[in-house]
Amino acid sequence: MSLRMEQTLPPYEVLPTGMNMNEMPKTSTTVTVEEEQPPPPRDHLVWSLFTTLYGNICCLGFLAFFFSVKSRDRKVLGDHSGALSYGSTAKCLNITALVINIIAVIIVIIVVAVVFSTAANRFNYNNYSNNYG
């Protein structure tokens, strides 16, 4: 076992006579340790674009798109906190626009259902009174 270990060691050279260790060329190894960076902040650009195109109530979609672009600009410049702030604002505006759009769709469905129900009842009443009245 000890013979194998001796064979795996690199060969050593003896210093020439009259040479000092300080006179030998020095080699160094540099180890770079990178810190684990957090993931880049989200800018919600695609969501803002769809909100702008399909549900731009009170211009909330346009404002969300504006903040998304600002967030992407900050991310490119390396301003992590600025990108996070603008992205968060865009997300809040998108959520607000989405909630308002959902409420508007529900109200429209209720109004259409009530109108059709009222019209159907009047139609049935008129048919009943014409046939039996």
Side-chain angles (χ1 to χ4, degrees):
M1 177 88 168
S2 63
L3 290 176
R4 286 186 184 171
M5 286 181 64
E6 288 178 17
Q7 291 175 354
T8 60
L9 292 175
Y12 291 100
E13 295 180 15
V14 179
L15 280 176
T17 56
M19 208 173 191
N20 191 358
M21 190 69 170
N22 294 332
E23 297 172 358
M24 295 291 294
K26 295 182 180 179
T27 59
S28 63
T29 303
T30 304
V31 177
T32 305
V33 179
E34 294 182 9
E35 291 183 22
E36 190 174 316
Q37 293 185 356
R42 299 193 55 180
D43 54 18
H44 307 287
L45 188 66
V46 175
W47 187 11
S48 299
L49 181 65
F50 283 119
T51 303
T52 301
L53 294 176
Y54 297 115
N56 199 11
I57 292 185
C58 300
C59 293
L60 289 176
F62 180 71
L63 286 173
F65 185 72
F66 173 77
F67 281 105
S68 294
V69 171
K70 294 286 283 181
S71 174
R72 182 160 286 190
D73 290 344
R74 289 289 156 193
K75 186 170 31 173
V76 168
L77 291 175
D79 182 11
H80 184 77
S81 63
L84 191 64
S85 173
Y86 283 126
S88 175
T89 303
K91 181 180 177 182
C92 289
L93 289 171
N94 280 322
I95 290 172
T96 304
L98 180 66
V99 167
I100 291 173
N101 284 330
I102 289 172
I103 290 171
V105 167
I106 290 172
I107 289 172
V108 166
I109 289 172
I110 290 172
V111 167
V112 168
V114 167
V115 167
F116 278 130
S117 174
T118 305
N121 285 340
R122 285 188 182 177
F123 181 74
N124 287 337
Y125 177 74
N126 287 339
N127 280 343
Y128 178 77
S129 63
N130 287 341
N131 291 336
Y132 299 106

